[in-house]
PDB file of all heavy atoms in Angstrom:
ATOM      1  N   ASN A 947       1.185 -21.842 -16.205  1.00 85.00           N
ATOM      2  CA  ASN A 947       2.004 -22.595 -15.292  1.00 85.00           C
ATOM      3  C   ASN A 947       2.077 -21.862 -13.940  1.00 85.00           C
ATOM      4  O   ASN A 947       2.864 -20.896 -13.798  1.00 85.00           O
ATOM      5  CB  ASN A 947       3.426 -22.819 -15.828  1.00 85.00           C
ATOM      6  CG  ASN A 947       3.433 -23.650 -17.080  1.00 85.00           C
ATOM      7  OD1 ASN A 947       2.682 -24.641 -17.190  1.00 85.00           O
ATOM      8  ND2 ASN A 947       4.182 -23.263 -18.114  1.00 85.00           N
ATOM      9  N   ILE A 948       1.234 -22.244 -13.007  1.00 89.00           N
ATOM     10  CA  ILE A 948       1.162 -21.555 -11.729  1.00 89.00           C
ATOM     11  C   ILE A 948       2.202 -22.159 -10.733  1.00 89.00           C
ATOM     12  O   ILE A 948       2.180 -23.372 -10.508  1.00 89.00           O
ATOM     13  CB  ILE A 948      -0.287 -21.734 -11.115  1.00 89.00           C
ATOM     14  CG1 ILE A 948      -1.278 -21.057 -12.071  1.00 89.00           C
ATOM     15  CG2 ILE A 948      -0.334 -21.060  -9.746  1.00 89.00           C
ATOM     16  CD1 ILE A 948      -2.705 -21.237 -11.634  1.00 89.00           C
ATOM     17  N   GLU A 949       3.048 -21.353 -10.243  1.00 92.00           N
ATOM     18  CA  GLU A 949       4.103 -21.773  -9.379  1.00 92.00           C
ATOM     19  C   GLU A 949       3.615 -21.720  -7.912  1.00 92.00           C
ATOM     20  O   GLU A 949       3.269 -20.654  -7.393  1.00 92.00           O
ATOM     21  CB  GLU A 949       5.358 -20.891  -9.522  1.00 92.00           C
ATOM     22  CG  GLU A 949       6.512 -21.286  -8.692  1.00 92.00           C
ATOM     23  CD  GLU A 949       7.708 -20.419  -8.924  1.00 92.00           C
ATOM     24  OE1 GLU A 949       7.727 -19.599  -9.875  1.00 92.00           O
ATOM     25  OE2 GLU A 949       8.703 -20.566  -8.150  1.00 92.00           O
ATOM     26  N   ARG A 950       3.575 -22.822  -7.263  1.00 93.00           N
ATOM     27  CA  ARG A 950       3.098 -22.886  -5.866  1.00 93.00           C
ATOM     28  C   ARG A 950       4.155 -22.228  -4.961  1.00 93.00           C
ATOM     29  O   ARG A 950       5.347 -22.376  -5.133  1.00 93.00           O
ATOM     30  CB  ARG A 950       2.913 -24.329  -5.397  1.00 93.00           C
ATOM     31  CG  ARG A 950       1.737 -25.051  -6.138  1.00 93.00           C
ATOM     32  CD  ARG A 950       1.554 -26.416  -5.577  1.00 93.00           C
ATOM     33  NE  ARG A 950       0.419 -27.094  -6.228  1.00 93.00           N
ATOM     34  CZ  ARG A 950      -0.855 -26.955  -5.883  1.00 93.00           C
ATOM     35  NH1 ARG A 950      -1.188 -26.183  -4.874  1.00 93.00           N
ATOM     36  NH2 ARG A 950      -1.791 -27.606  -6.574  1.00 93.00           N
ATOM     37  N   ASN A 951       3.672 -21.432  -4.002  1.00 94.00           N
ATOM     38  CA  ASN A 951       4.499 -20.713  -3.054  1.00 94.00           C
ATOM     39  C   ASN A 951       5.588 -19.875  -3.787  1.00 94.00           C
ATOM     40  O   ASN A 951       6.746 -19.893  -3.428  1.00 94.00           O
ATOM     41  CB  ASN A 951       5.200 -21.706  -2.092  1.00 94.00           C
ATOM     42  CG  ASN A 951       4.190 -22.532  -1.325  1.00 94.00           C
ATOM     43  OD1 ASN A 951       3.193 -22.014  -0.770  1.00 94.00           O
ATOM     44  ND2 ASN A 951       4.394 -23.825  -1.249  1.00 94.00           N
ATOM     45  N   GLU A 952       5.149 -19.235  -4.855  1.00 94.00           N
ATOM     46  CA  GLU A 952       6.083 -18.440  -5.673  1.00 94.00           C
ATOM     47  C   GLU A 952       6.711 -17.345  -4.821  1.00 94.00           C
ATOM     48  O   GLU A 952       6.011 -16.609  -4.156  1.00 94.00           O
ATOM     49  CB  GLU A 952       5.313 -17.811  -6.863  1.00 94.00           C
ATOM     50  CG  GLU A 952       6.260 -17.037  -7.753  1.00 94.00           C
ATOM     51  CD  GLU A 952       5.540 -16.469  -8.931  1.00 94.00           C
ATOM     52  OE1 GLU A 952       4.282 -16.564  -9.006  1.00 94.00           O
ATOM     53  OE2 GLU A 952       6.207 -15.909  -9.831  1.00 94.00           O
ATOM     54  N   PRO A 953       8.015 -17.211  -4.851  1.00 95.00           N
ATOM     55  CA  PRO A 953       8.653 -16.146  -4.096  1.00 95.00           C
ATOM     56  C   PRO A 953       8.463 -14.774  -4.748  1.00 95.00           C
ATOM     57  O   PRO A 953       8.100 -14.731  -5.957  1.00 95.00           O
ATOM     58  CB  PRO A 953      10.174 -16.492  -4.134  1.00 95.00           C
ATOM     59  CG  PRO A 953      10.307 -17.304  -5.475  1.00 95.00           C
ATOM     60  CD  PRO A 953       9.004 -18.042  -5.588  1.00 95.00           C
ATOM     61  N   VAL A 954       8.629 -13.699  -3.983  1.00 93.00           N
ATOM     62  CA  VAL A 954       8.497 -12.385  -4.571  1.00 93.00           C
ATOM     63  C   VAL A 954       9.503 -12.116  -5.660  1.00 93.00           C
ATOM     64  O   VAL A 954       9.245 -11.563  -6.699  1.00 93.00           O
ATOM     65  CB  VAL A 954       8.600 -11.314  -3.427  1.00 93.00           C
ATOM     66  CG1 VAL A 954       8.532  -9.878  -4.016  1.00 93.00           C
ATOM     67  CG2 VAL A 954       7.523 -11.513  -2.408  1.00 93.00           C
ATOM     68  N   PHE A 955      10.763 -12.577  -5.410  1.00 96.00           N
ATOM     69  CA  PHE A 955      11.811 -12.438  -6.369  1.00 96.00           C
ATOM     70  C   PHE A 955      12.459 -13.828  -6.585  1.00 96.00           C
ATOM     71  O   PHE A 955      12.659 -14.601  -5.640  1.00 96.00           O
ATOM     72  CB  PHE A 955      12.881 -11.437  -5.890  1.00 96.00           C
ATOM     73  CG  PHE A 955      12.408 -10.087  -5.622  1.00 96.00           C
ATOM     74  CD1 PHE A 955      12.154  -9.639  -4.302  1.00 96.00           C
ATOM     75  CD2 PHE A 955      12.133  -9.209  -6.649  1.00 96.00           C
ATOM     76  CE1 PHE A 955      11.667  -8.380  -4.084  1.00 96.00           C
ATOM     77  CE2 PHE A 955      11.624  -7.937  -6.420  1.00 96.00           C
ATOM     78  CZ  PHE A 955      11.415  -7.559  -5.093  1.00 96.00           C
ATOM     79  N   HIS A 956      12.798 -14.101  -7.840  1.00 95.00           N
ATOM     80  CA  HIS A 956      13.448 -15.400  -8.178  1.00 95.00           C
ATOM     81  C   HIS A 956      14.959 -15.259  -8.162  1.00 95.00           C
ATOM     82  O   HIS A 956      15.670 -16.250  -7.972  1.00 95.00           O
ATOM     83  CB  HIS A 956      12.993 -15.907  -9.520  1.00 95.00           C
ATOM     84  CG  HIS A 956      11.550 -16.423  -9.511  1.00 95.00           C
ATOM     85  ND1 HIS A 956      10.489 -15.567  -9.722  1.00 95.00           N
ATOM     86  CD2 HIS A 956      11.078 -17.666  -9.373  1.00 95.00           C
ATOM     87  CE1 HIS A 956       9.360 -16.278  -9.638  1.00 95.00           C
ATOM     88  NE2 HIS A 956       9.709 -17.564  -9.466  1.00 95.00           N
ATOM     89  N   HIS A 957      15.454 -14.004  -8.357  1.00 96.00           N
ATOM     90  CA  HIS A 957      16.898 -13.775  -8.409  1.00 96.00           C
ATOM     91  C   HIS A 957      17.184 -12.466  -7.713  1.00 96.00           C
ATOM     92  O   HIS A 957      16.343 -11.564  -7.645  1.00 96.00           O
ATOM     93  CB  HIS A 957      17.374 -13.725  -9.880  1.00 96.00           C
ATOM     94  CG  HIS A 957      16.941 -14.869 -10.734  1.00 96.00           C
ATOM     95  ND1 HIS A 957      17.576 -16.149 -10.622  1.00 96.00           N
ATOM     96  CD2 HIS A 957      15.958 -15.027 -11.628  1.00 96.00           C
ATOM     97  CE1 HIS A 957      17.002 -16.975 -11.463  1.00 96.00           C
ATOM     98  NE2 HIS A 957      16.020 -16.354 -12.075  1.00 96.00           N
ATOM     99  N   GLU A 958      18.422 -12.369  -7.256  1.00 97.00           N
ATOM    100  CA  GLU A 958      18.829 -11.139  -6.517  1.00 97.00           C
ATOM    101  C   GLU A 958      18.721  -9.913  -7.415  1.00 97.00           C
ATOM    102  O   GLU A 958      18.421  -8.792  -6.976  1.00 97.00           O
ATOM    103  CB  GLU A 958      20.270 -11.319  -5.982  1.00 97.00           C
ATOM    104  CG  GLU A 958      20.346 -12.150  -4.736  1.00 97.00           C
ATOM    105  CD  GLU A 958      19.577 -11.555  -3.580  1.00 97.00           C
ATOM    106  OE1 GLU A 958      19.781 -10.364  -3.312  1.00 97.00           O
ATOM    107  OE2 GLU A 958      18.819 -12.269  -2.931  1.00 97.00           O
ATOM    108  N   TRP A 959      19.095 -10.057  -8.711  1.00 97.00           N
ATOM    109  CA  TRP A 959      19.092  -8.903  -9.608  1.00 97.00           C
ATOM    110  C   TRP A 959      17.713  -8.270  -9.757  1.00 97.00           C
ATOM    111  O   TRP A 959      17.554  -7.106 -10.060  1.00 97.00           O
ATOM    112  CB  TRP A 959      19.674  -9.247 -10.971  1.00 97.00           C
ATOM    113  CG  TRP A 959      18.817 -10.107 -11.843  1.00 97.00           C
ATOM    114  CD1 TRP A 959      18.895 -11.486 -11.938  1.00 97.00           C
ATOM    115  CD2 TRP A 959      17.780  -9.723 -12.704  1.00 97.00           C
ATOM    116  NE1 TRP A 959      17.963 -11.950 -12.837  1.00 97.00           N
ATOM    117  CE2 TRP A 959      17.280 -10.901 -13.333  1.00 97.00           C
ATOM    118  CE3 TRP A 959      17.208  -8.492 -13.026  1.00 97.00           C
ATOM    119  CZ2 TRP A 959      16.217 -10.869 -14.244  1.00 97.00           C
ATOM    120  CZ3 TRP A 959      16.177  -8.450 -13.973  1.00 97.00           C
ATOM    121  CH2 TRP A 959      15.683  -9.603 -14.553  1.00 97.00           C
ATOM    122  N   GLU A 960      16.641  -9.123  -9.561  1.00 97.00           N
ATOM    123  CA  GLU A 960      15.272  -8.576  -9.719  1.00 97.00           C
ATOM    124  C   GLU A 960      14.991  -7.565  -8.630  1.00 97.00           C
ATOM    125  O   GLU A 960      14.282  -6.611  -8.845  1.00 97.00           O
ATOM    126  CB  GLU A 960      14.318  -9.742  -9.629  1.00 97.00           C
ATOM    127  CG  GLU A 960      14.428 -10.667 -10.844  1.00 97.00           C
ATOM    128  CD  GLU A 960      13.429 -11.820 -10.794  1.00 97.00           C
ATOM    129  OE1 GLU A 960      12.944 -12.133  -9.630  1.00 97.00           O
ATOM    130  OE2 GLU A 960      13.093 -12.407 -11.805  1.00 97.00           O
ATOM    131  N   LYS A 961      15.556  -7.745  -7.425  1.00 96.00           N
ATOM    132  CA  LYS A 961      15.364  -6.747  -6.403  1.00 96.00           C
ATOM    133  C   LYS A 961      15.966  -5.404  -6.764  1.00 96.00           C
ATOM    134  O   LYS A 961      15.363  -4.363  -6.555  1.00 96.00           O
ATOM    135  CB  LYS A 961      16.049  -7.222  -5.040  1.00 96.00           C
ATOM    136  CG  LYS A 961      15.498  -8.547  -4.500  1.00 96.00           C
ATOM    137  CD  LYS A 961      16.252  -8.935  -3.244  1.00 96.00           C
ATOM    138  CE  LYS A 961      15.775 -10.271  -2.711  1.00 96.00           C
ATOM    139  NZ  LYS A 961      16.538 -10.641  -1.496  1.00 96.00           N
ATOM    140  N   ARG A 962      17.140  -5.435  -7.372  1.00 95.00           N
ATOM    141  CA  ARG A 962      17.803  -4.263  -7.781  1.00 95.00           C
ATOM    142  C   ARG A 962      17.061  -3.603  -8.980  1.00 95.00           C
ATOM    143  O   ARG A 962      16.984  -2.359  -9.067  1.00 95.00           O
ATOM    144  CB  ARG A 962      19.255  -4.569  -8.221  1.00 95.00           C
ATOM    145  CG  ARG A 962      20.126  -5.063  -7.067  1.00 95.00           C
ATOM    146  CD  ARG A 962      21.531  -5.326  -7.518  1.00 95.00           C
ATOM    147  NE  ARG A 962      22.199  -4.114  -7.947  1.00 95.00           N
ATOM    148  CZ  ARG A 962      22.808  -3.269  -7.146  1.00 95.00           C
ATOM    149  NH1 ARG A 962      22.816  -3.479  -5.840  1.00 95.00           N
ATOM    150  NH2 ARG A 962      23.413  -2.190  -7.626  1.00 95.00           N
ATOM    151  N   ALA A 963      16.471  -4.436  -9.860  1.00 96.00           N
ATOM    152  CA  ALA A 963      15.687  -3.910 -10.960  1.00 96.00           C
ATOM    153  C   ALA A 963      14.497  -3.153 -10.479  1.00 96.00           C
ATOM    154  O   ALA A 963      14.167  -2.034 -10.950  1.00 96.00           O
ATOM    155  CB  ALA A 963      15.268  -5.055 -11.862  1.00 96.00           C
ATOM    156  N   LEU A 964      13.802  -3.689  -9.460  1.00 93.00           N
ATOM    157  CA  LEU A 964      12.630  -2.993  -8.917  1.00 93.00           C
ATOM    158  C   LEU A 964      13.040  -1.680  -8.220  1.00 93.00           C
ATOM    159  O   LEU A 964      12.421  -0.673  -8.473  1.00 93.00           O
ATOM    160  CB  LEU A 964      11.926  -3.880  -7.887  1.00 93.00           C
ATOM    161  CG  LEU A 964      10.801  -3.268  -7.121  1.00 93.00           C
ATOM    162  CD1 LEU A 964       9.702  -2.799  -8.015  1.00 93.00           C
ATOM    163  CD2 LEU A 964      10.231  -4.241  -6.053  1.00 93.00           C
ATOM    164  N   GLY A 965      14.109  -1.752  -7.425  1.00 91.00           N
ATOM    165  CA  GLY A 965      14.574  -0.524  -6.767  1.00 91.00           C
ATOM    166  C   GLY A 965      15.030   0.528  -7.743  1.00 91.00           C
ATOM    167  O   GLY A 965      14.703   1.733  -7.543  1.00 91.00           O
ATOM    168  N   LEU A 966      15.743   0.168  -8.748  1.00 92.00           N
ATOM    169  CA  LEU A 966      16.204   1.100  -9.773  1.00 92.00           C
ATOM    170  C   LEU A 966      15.030   1.727 -10.481  1.00 92.00           C
ATOM    171  O   LEU A 966      15.028   2.942 -10.759  1.00 92.00           O
ATOM    172  CB  LEU A 966      17.145   0.420 -10.739  1.00 92.00           C
ATOM    173  CG  LEU A 966      17.784   1.269 -11.822  1.00 92.00           C
ATOM    174  CD1 LEU A 966      18.623   2.387 -11.182  1.00 92.00           C
ATOM    175  CD2 LEU A 966      18.635   0.424 -12.688  1.00 92.00           C
ATOM    176  N   SER A 967      14.040   0.936 -10.850  1.00 92.00           N
ATOM    177  CA  SER A 967      12.882   1.479 -11.557  1.00 92.00           C
ATOM    178  C   SER A 967      12.085   2.466 -10.688  1.00 92.00           C
ATOM    179  O   SER A 967      11.681   3.507 -11.155  1.00 92.00           O
ATOM    180  CB  SER A 967      11.954   0.324 -11.970  1.00 92.00           C
ATOM    181  OG  SER A 967      12.600  -0.540 -12.864  1.00 92.00           O
TER     182      SER A 967
END
Side-chain angles (χ1 to χ4, degrees):
N947 295 318
I948 300 176
E949 183 178 350
R950 294 184 180 275
N951 302 314
E952 182 178 7
V954 177
F955 301 102
H956 289 85
H957 308 283
E958 283 297 312
W959 71 264
E960 294 179 338
K961 299 178 183 179
R962 297 181 63 84
L964 174 60
L966 183 59
S967 296

